[in-house]
Amino acid sequence: MTTRAHLSTAGEGVELSSPDAKVTVKAGAEHTGGAYELFEIDAPRGPAVPLHRTPWAKAYYVLFGRMAVLVDGERYELGPGSSITVPPGAPHTFTVHGPSVQFLAFSLTGAMGRFFRDVDQAVPEGTPLGEAVARLGPVAERHGITMVGGPQP
């Protein structure tokens, strides 16, 4: 399938709401022939989604701020210019250090974007995290995501 070039400048992109972040679609699967997706994530300090597993691999690249990422029981400290990969099926979550963090999330296929769009529809913006997590159960199940008990970073 042939795709056309897609430009997304600063401040552009579809904004999606997530319980622990604002997600801006910079390059969706519809722009890449389904090959990959790129998201800009703006996450404030506060609780993040509990430890979970996704069936897709992803990578994070920090633009500004600091965050701890927990992957397979290992804690990684990330700051501007740092990146980390999260293998499919690995239990993971993140915690924001400081007022906020902004990072890029990259994923192959369109699975992550479909999940973010579903979350945006299922959980109204501003829903408290505890209530949001309860609403996320059926959404997560539809996308093959499982919640995992355990420590947070």
Side-chain angles (χ1 to χ4, degrees), residues 45 65-69 75 77-78 95-101 153:
R45 177 183 284 231
R66 302 194 68 73
M67 64 194 272
V69 179
R75 180 185 164 123
E77 296 290 333
L78 280 73
T95 298
V96 177
H97 297 307
S100 66
V101 68

Side-chain angles (χ1 to χ4, degrees), residues 14-17 23-31 37 39 110-123 139 142-143:
V14 174
E15 287 188 9
L16 303 171
S17 176
V23 177
T24 303
V25 180
K26 299 307 282 182
E30 66 275 15
H31 304 120
E37 299 176 300
F39 307 94
M112 198 158 132
R114 285 189 298 274
F115 172 70
F116 282 146
R117 284 175 176 86
D118 204 356
V119 169
D120 181 70
Q121 294 297 310
V123 183
V139 175
R142 283 195 294 274
H143 296 274

